[in-house]
């Protein structure tokens, strides 16, 4: 993954995760998240309409990082690329997915939990990894150790994370951003939603603080 993209994720700090239901409703939610200041959004590719949703969101929000989530095979990866995703996210890493990622037109953030999984991902050249599910596995404690064991490897923890747990992730030098739906998941699709999301994102960034300092080479 190129350093510019890594730096943008570190700057975003929060990556809202959006499940696709109705196409129009999901696009409206992404619109609200962008209006609230979200700089990176993950759209889960668990619904057949997800590529269409991401495609429409790409046309509407050119400057926002859009990730295709739950990409577990080359077919979904190709759909993500065609829809205009900036990168793919997967809960794990298989040999076939690693082979596809090696030649794919957009980068992959694969999932890894154990030291062996992190080492295997690093052997395939991955520098940014997803840690999922985070909270059920006490990810903050694990990632604190991983910061010493795996220097230069960064993580985006997701899964069960809410506002009360953000500060412990924000204190870790190897956490680029935190993903989840707590910023919007319980809010109804209503006119007051953007104000609620603005406040949730503001609190999240405050609790997470500044991300890792990523050096971007001069052009």
């Amino acid at each position: 993954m190129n350093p510019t993209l890594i730096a943008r994720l570190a700057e975003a700090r929060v990556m809202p995760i959006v499940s696709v239901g109705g196409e129009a409703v999901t696009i409206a939610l992404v619109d609200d998240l962008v209006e609230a200041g979200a700089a990176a959004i993950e759209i889960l590719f668990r619904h057949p309409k997800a590529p269409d949703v991401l495609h429409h969101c790409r046309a509407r929000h050119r400057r926002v990082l859009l990730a295709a989530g739950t990409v577990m095979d080359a077919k979904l990866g190709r759909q993500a690329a065609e829809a205009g995703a900036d990168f793919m996210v997967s809960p794990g890493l298989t040999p076939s997915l690693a082979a596809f990622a090696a030649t794919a037109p957009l980068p992959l953030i694969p999932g890894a939990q154990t030291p062996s999984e992190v080492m295997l991902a690093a052997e395939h050249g991955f520098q940014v990894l997803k840690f999922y599910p985070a909270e059920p596995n006490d990810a903050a404690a694990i990632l604190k150790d991983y910061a010493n064991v795996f220097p230069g490897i960064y993580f985006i923890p997701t899964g069960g994370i809410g506002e009360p747990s953000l500060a412990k992730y924000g204190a870790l030098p190897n956490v680029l951003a935190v993903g989840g739906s707590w910023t919007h998941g319980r809010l109804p699709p209503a006119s007051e939603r953007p104000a609620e999301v603005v406040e949730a994102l503001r609190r999240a960034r405050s609790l997470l603080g500044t991300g890792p300092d990523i050096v971007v080479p001069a052009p």
Side-chain angles (χ1 to χ4, degrees):
M1 180 173 286
N2 80 57
T4 299
L5 183 52
I6 297 174
R8 289 182 66 187
L9 286 167
E11 185 177 0
R13 290 301 267 163
V14 185
M15 185 166 69
I17 297 176
V18 173
S19 296
V20 176
E23 187 172 341
V25 171
T26 307
I27 293 170
L29 172 57
V30 172
D31 288 346
D32 287 344
L33 288 165
V34 174
E35 182 182 342
I41 298 171
E42 179 181 345
I43 297 173
L44 299 179
F45 268 40
R46 299 176 186 171
H47 189 284
K49 283 291 185 181
D52 291 336
V53 168
L54 197 150
H55 174 75
H56 287 298
C57 291
R58 173 82 291 150
R60 296 158 77 91
H61 306 293
R62 293 289 183 181
R63 298 183 180 181
V64 174
L65 290 177
L66 294 178
T70 322
V71 172
M72 295 191 284
D73 55 40
K75 178 181 178 181
L76 287 176
R78 286 190 290 270
Q79 290 176 355
E82 291 169 1
D86 293 291
F87 59 98
M88 306 172 286
V89 182
S90 177
L93 182 65
T94 64
S96 60
L97 186 60
F100 167 71
T103 59
L106 68 168
L108 170 71
I109 297 178
Q113 284 189 7
T114 68
S116 293
E117 290 169 348
V118 175
M119 291 169 66
L120 179 62
E123 282 187 6
H124 283 287
F126 295 104
Q127 187 182 1
V128 180
L129 306 176
K130 173 188 175 92
F131 194 107
Y132 172 84
E135 284 296 278
N137 289 286
D138 197 14
I142 294 172
L143 294 178
K144 183 177 180 180
D145 281 344
Y146 283 3
N148 298 316
V149 179
F150 303 114
I153 301 294
Y154 297 101
F155 293 86
I156 299 179
T158 73
I161 297 174
E163 194 170 289
S165 58
L166 292 180
K168 62 185 180 182
Y169 290 105
L172 301 176
N174 56 345
V175 169
L176 281 183
V178 173
S181 60
W182 80 92
T183 57
H184 58 280
R186 293 188 176 92
L187 297 174
S191 58
E192 67 270 15
R193 183 170 61 192
E196 298 286 348
V197 177
V198 166
E199 181 58 22
L201 288 172
R202 185 199 65 77
R203 289 195 305 267
R205 291 193 190 97
S206 177
L207 289 165
L208 287 168
T210 304
D213 186 17
I214 307 299
V215 177
V216 178

